[in-house]
Amino acid sequence: MKVNDTLVDKIAHLARLQFNTVEKAAIKTDLQKMIAFVEKLNELDTTGVLPLLHMSNNINVLRQDKVKGSICREQGLKNAPVHDNQFFKVPKVIKK
């Protein structure tokens, strides 16, 4: 597959990106290298190789839940820089 300016422009449009001519040339080179690598993988003989779904043979390796004690509200708030006696107080981050 050959990478040309039309393909780069289409990908840039889909990704909502804009490139100048220098950047476009560099991207075209990088895309060509990536496609050449994937095409090289197509040369491998994969007959008899099952598809890989997970990286290990372990299935549902989960720890058992253990009930543990918790701390009281006063202990939880004692190191908070700002709090009222029930909640942590933080600066407002969403502006209307």
Side-chain angles (χ1 to χ4, degrees), residues 5-71:
D5 287 336
T6 307
L7 179 63
V8 174
D9 289 338
K10 182 178 180 180
I11 292 171
H13 173 72
L14 292 172
R16 306 291 191 259
L17 298 172
Q18 293 179 349
F19 303 116
N20 61 32
T21 54
V22 175
E23 293 170 331
K24 191 184 289 188
I27 289 171
K28 204 161 56 167
T29 303
D30 289 344
L31 280 174
Q32 189 62 47
K33 287 179 184 177
M34 286 185 257
I35 291 171
F37 176 74
V38 172
E39 287 174 347
K40 184 79 173 165
L41 292 175
N42 287 332
E43 296 175 10
L44 292 173
D45 180 23
T46 57
T47 54
V49 177
L50 296 174
L52 181 67
L53 298 176
H54 301 284
M55 294 307 294
S56 72
N57 293 328
N58 298 334
I59 299 173
N60 292 335
V61 179
L62 302 173
R63 64 171 171 76
Q64 293 294 321
D65 287 336
K66 295 180 183 174
V67 178
K68 295 182 179 180
S70 61
I71 60 174

Side-chain angles (χ1 to χ4, degrees), residues 78-90:
K78 76 176 183 180
N79 290 326
V82 180
H83 64 84
D84 59 11
N85 291 322
Q86 286 188 319
F87 303 106
F88 292 101
K89 295 186 102 181
V90 296

